[in-house]
Amino acid sequence: MRYELSGARVLTWSLETHLVDHCNLRCQHCCTLSPQLPPRAVPVEHLARDLAQAARVLKPSLFKLTGGEPLLHPALVECLEAVRRSGICQQVSLTTNGLLLPQAPDAVFRLLDRLTVSVYASAPLPEPVLARVAERSQAHNVLLTVKRIDRFQQMDAPAAHAPREARQVFATCWLRNRCHLIHDGHFYTCTRPPHLGAHLGLPRLVQAAGVDLAGPA
């Protein structure tokens, strides 16, 4: 995959971080394996460290905070403030299932540029709740996108791929240019490996799949 440069920084459409691994839903084909993972919330100081390191070499158009369900993070506002302070990009986005948005403080909306609400057929949001979310988004100039999802794409392969097959799967993935991830000091071109490694209890797999943001020792 080829990337363009802006000065010494690599241009990407988006970069994301998963603030938490757990979720308040248990979707069978969750792309981040939330139902199989223990609760985990990224410490704000770790997020700030990863952002500072990533900002030296990456220039995404959009930074996305997701999960799991990011609204479960106990210090969500502080995380958003850390993203703003990092200067890694100008557009900050949050992706959520929306169930906890009625309790979200105004500061969450104030610190966002974009908000994506995934409305699942198995856990629909009442229309009055969506209407209120739309009002709050408009009041804070947040671009709201509502995605209504009534089916899942199966993410789990029936068997392990050989390296050549794995490269072919990645090469044909339509999301490969927009699913870049920073996670625990590493950069990944796919959001799946760190969660898969954690699920399988293989920390070395997690590290081997990513690039150390701190660079060579």
Side-chain angles (χ1 to χ4, degrees):
M1 185 187 305
R2 293 184 178 181
Y3 295 95
E4 296 182 6
L5 296 178
S6 175
R9 299 170 69 188
V10 177
L11 294 172
T12 68
W13 159 244
S14 67
L15 180 66
E16 65 185 75
T17 194
H18 296 174
L19 290 182
V20 301
D21 287 343
H22 53 297
C23 186
N24 49 357
L25 297 178
R26 298 188 62 81
C27 304
Q28 182 177 1
H29 291 295
C30 174
C31 64
T32 58
L33 299 174
S34 288
Q36 286 79 43
L37 296 177
R40 182 193 74 100
V42 176
V44 177
E45 60 271 22
H46 290 188
L47 174 62
R49 174 205 64 195
D50 289 352
L51 287 164
Q53 293 173 341
R56 296 181 307 167
V57 292
L58 300 173
K59 189 176 181 180
S61 299
L62 179 72
F63 191 86
K64 298 192 295 185
L65 297 104
T66 180
E69 172 47 55
L71 289 173
L72 290 172
H73 198 290
L76 176 58
V77 171
E78 290 83 353
C79 288
L80 287 166
E81 290 172 340
V83 177
R84 287 294 185 188
R85 285 195 303 270
S86 74
I88 193 168
C89 68
Q90 297 195 3
Q91 293 283 307
V92 179
S93 175
L94 183 118
T95 299
T96 172
N97 60 39
L99 295 174
L100 299 176
L101 277 175
Q103 292 80 46
D106 283 343
V108 169
F109 288 84
R110 176 174 52 82
L111 290 163
L112 289 174
D113 299 294
R114 300 184 181 210
L115 175 64
T116 298
V117 179
S118 299
V119 179
Y120 299 100
S122 56
L125 283 176
E127 289 303 323
V129 172
L130 279 174
R132 178 57 181 153
V133 169
E135 290 175 2
R136 297 179 73 187
S137 297
Q138 185 175 17
H140 291 86
N141 295 316
V142 176
L143 178 61
L144 174 65
T145 300
V146 177
K147 293 184 176 179
R148 299 184 183 272
I149 301 168
D150 59 6
R151 62 179 181 172
F152 285 93
Q153 177 180 354
Q154 184 170 345
M155 297 289 293
D156 301 316
H161 290 293
R164 182 176 179 180
E165 293 172 327
R167 286 193 294 269
Q168 181 61 28
V169 169
F170 179 75
T172 56
C173 177
W174 68 278
L175 288 172
R176 70 186 184 280
N177 292 325
R178 58 176 62 224
C179 277
H180 299 151
L181 174 75
I182 55 171
H183 178 88
D184 196 22
H186 288 72
F187 169 76
Y188 298 85
T189 55
C190 176
T191 61
R192 191 74 165 172
H195 304 291
L196 181 60
H199 173 53
L200 296 175
L202 300 173
R204 291 184 180 179
L205 171 64
V206 175
Q207 294 181 358
V211 176
D212 190 344
L213 285 168

